[in-house]
């Protein structure tokens, strides 16, 4: 069995999970299920990023110790996966002592290999981003993502010699030649451009942050939260897997954390002599009704509430259907409701229902002839992470099914006693439904199961019940 090792980012537990976290996890789950159905030995890793200043500050505000604070939030992230039907293989927490030890060993190796140096550093730190910003990054003196003023920090830190290793191992060409693949292409070019403009070494320890892994050899500092976090992908394979599953086949991330995954992480791996992941894919961000999703604006969509109302499958469908995965797009509850009504209830649901009703009513004999009209085309798109396109292909075949019925009018064939034509027609739609059932399996696993059962027993039950407005 070929292995397929896939990861989501590990999410900050400074607050409850929102729809942004759900987005990457849903996509990862669709891919994982697709690979499982194709016979791969899949390992899907997700989890939580629990150290650093951002979490420490949130804990302080909640008048809790950081450990108590994260312990109380982590179950909400695990629950989000459960509610969304995201079947992870392992949920990873960076506060796991085994991980903390692996992080220290990793840093020891970096040090022994000659890629760490102590330096005095002064810079503008954004706690929201958990990174130093340059004056060029700022808009009106503020972080453009968090709208907060970064704090001037002056510390003596340990630095990772990013520029040295990137030059020695020619990271630029590893990316350019796709030996280490950064996708989509526009993101790859963005990264290549930035590397060309010059790399700066990275401060990988913090004197002022207590909540973190102790820096090996200097207990007065903690390991920079991003270094601790990136190592999760490797340390999970050591803690939870016996067999060799590193390198990862795919790191799925949002575009906001591309630099860490496409430049800093491979450089760290090269410096300790580990293999590079095969691919990093950065998806776009969604806005809500044209605005950035934020607590201050008050437009944060709660995935749990959406699932309670529309069901997990519909949320999975709607969010991947709305716009191409690599691009930015807009989403809103209205848009989800519209997809639910038009494409799910009146689309797939209606096609299944009316077909089963007619098969029963006219006593048609249907057989499961194996023709999967959609298989190749949907599969190719899923492999390319074109979820939007795959779902469009499925929608078109649903439409075709409904059109065939409208055109050939089985009720008239029945009236005219055209039994043979009637039987052929209902068989054709029945096959289309079988093929839809198969091809939605990774996107809407429960719906696919329900359809399978109904197609077997020929007992129609509503797939997507009407929702009270
Ligand atoms: N802890 C770091 C990641 C460390 S990975 C080694 C982090 N966490 S986060 O909680 O801020 O999650 C960021 C991720 O959430 C993004 O990369 C993206 O996957 C997802 N999203 C958050 N908001 C989003 C949108 N509005 N739209 C799409 N995805 C979003 O960064």
């Amino acid at each position: 069995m070929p292995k397929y090792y896939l990861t989501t980012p590990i999410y900050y537990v400074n607050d409850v999970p929102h729809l942004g976290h759900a987005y990457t996890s849903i996509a990862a789950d669709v891919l994982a299920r697709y690979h499982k159905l194709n016979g791969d030995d899949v390992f899907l890793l997700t989890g939580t990023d629990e150290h650093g200043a951002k979490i420490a500050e949130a804990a302080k505000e909640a008048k809790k110790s950081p450990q108590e604070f994260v312990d109380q939030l982590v179950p909400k992230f695990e629950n989000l996966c459960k509610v969304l039907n995201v079947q992870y293989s392992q949920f990873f927490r960076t506060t796991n002592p085994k991980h903390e030890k692996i992080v220290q060993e990793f840093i020891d190796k970096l040090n022994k290999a000659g890629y760490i140096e102590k330096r005095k550093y002064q810079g503008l730190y954004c706690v929201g981003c958990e990174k130093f910003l340059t004056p060029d990054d700022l808009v009106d003196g503020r972080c453009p993502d968090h709208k907060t003023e970064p704090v001037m920090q002056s510390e003596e830190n340990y630095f990772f010699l990013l520029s040295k290793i990137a030059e020695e191992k020619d990271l630029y060409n590893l990316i350019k030649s796709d030996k280490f693949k950064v996708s989509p292409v526009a993101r790859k070019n963005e990264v290549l451009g930035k590397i060309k403009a010059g790399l700066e070494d990275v401060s990988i320890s913090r004197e002022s942050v207590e909540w973190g892994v102790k820096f090996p050899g200097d207990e007065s500092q903690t390991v920079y939260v991003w270094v601790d976090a990136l190592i999760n992908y490797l340390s999970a394979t050591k803690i939870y897997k016996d067999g060799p599953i590193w390198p990862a086949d795919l790191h799925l991330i949002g575009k906001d954390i591309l630099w860490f995954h496409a430049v800093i992480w491979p450089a760290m791996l090269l410096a300790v002599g580990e293999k590079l992941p095969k691919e990093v894919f950065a998806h776009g961000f969604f806005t809500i009704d044209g605005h950035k999703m934020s607590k201050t604006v008050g437009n944060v969509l709660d995935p749990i509430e959406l699932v309670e109302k529309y069901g997990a499958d519909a949320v999975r469908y709607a969010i991947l259907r709305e716009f191409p995965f690599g691009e930015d797009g807009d989403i809103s509850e209205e848009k989800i409701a519209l997809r639910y009504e038009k494409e799910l209830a009146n689309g797939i649901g209606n096609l299944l229902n009316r077909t089963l009703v007619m098969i029963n009513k006219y006593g048609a004999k249907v057989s499961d002839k194996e023709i999967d009209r959609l298989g190749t085309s949907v599969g190719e798109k899923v492999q390319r992470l074109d979820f939007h396109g795959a779902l469009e292909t499925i929608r078109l075949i649903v439409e075709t099914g409904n059109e065939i019925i409208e055109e050939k009018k089985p009720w008239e064939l029945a009236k005219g006693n055209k039994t043979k034509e009637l039987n052929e027609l209902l068989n054709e739609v029945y096959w289309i439904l079988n093929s839809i059932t198969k091809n939605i399996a990774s996107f809407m696993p429960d719906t696919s199961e329900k359809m399978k059962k109904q197609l077997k027993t020929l007992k129609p039950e509503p797939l997507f019940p009407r929702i009270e407005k």
Side-chain angles (χ1 to χ4, degrees), residues 8-14 18-21 23-24 49 54 77 226 229-230 232-233 252-257 261 283-287 293:
T8 75
I10 46 171
Y11 302 107
Y12 285 131
V13 280
N14 59 317
H18 55 63
L19 196 65
H21 305 125
Y23 187 54
T24 322
D49 191 351
K54 186 175 170 126
F77 282 80
W226 262 104
L230 289 164
N232 98 86
Y233 301 132
L252 211 55
I253 56 164
K255 63 172 186 178
D256 55 331
I257 55 179
H261 285 79
H283 63 69
F285 257 48
F286 57 75
T287 48
M293 184 170 63

Side-chain angles (χ1 to χ4, degrees), residues 398-460:
V398 174
E399 203 174 87
T400 309
N402 277 319
E403 274 168 13
I404 295 177
I405 296 177
E406 292 307 320
E407 244 169 56
K408 299 196 179 159
K409 304 189 175 46
W411 46 94
E412 286 184 5
L413 295 175
K415 244 193 236 157
N417 278 330
K418 295 188 173 151
T419 322
K420 191 167 164 265
E421 280 106 315
L422 180 61
N423 221 45
E424 268 171 19
L425 165 61
L426 290 176
N427 261 287
E428 191 177 353
V429 188
Y430 183 78
W431 297 333
I432 289 180
L433 280 163
N434 270 315
S435 159
I436 294 168
T437 304
K438 251 193 211 162
N439 283 286
I440 60 163
S442 342
F443 293 98
M444 299 193 284
D446 285 348
T447 305
S448 175
E449 277 306 311
K450 282 185 198 156
M451 286 181 74
K452 211 188 211 166
K453 204 172 123 215
Q454 293 191 35
L455 287 164
K456 216 175 188 174
T457 59
L458 302 181
K459 250 200 217 146

Side-chain angles (χ1 to χ4, degrees), residues 8 69 77 221 242 260 334:
T8 75
F69 182 73
F77 282 80
Q221 307 236 358
D242 294 333
F260 289 101
E334 287 69 37

Side-chain angles (χ1 to χ4, degrees), residues 8-13 46-51 55 70 73-78 91-95 99 228-229 232:
T8 75
I10 46 171
Y11 302 107
Y12 285 131
V13 280
T46 189
T48 40
D49 191 351
E50 305 182 17
H51 290 129
I55 310 269
V70 296
L73 275 168
V74 167
K76 297 203 190 303
F77 282 80
E78 284 172 305
F91 192 95
F92 192 91
R93 298 186 56 178
T94 52
T95 45
H99 166 70
D228 168 4
N232 98 86

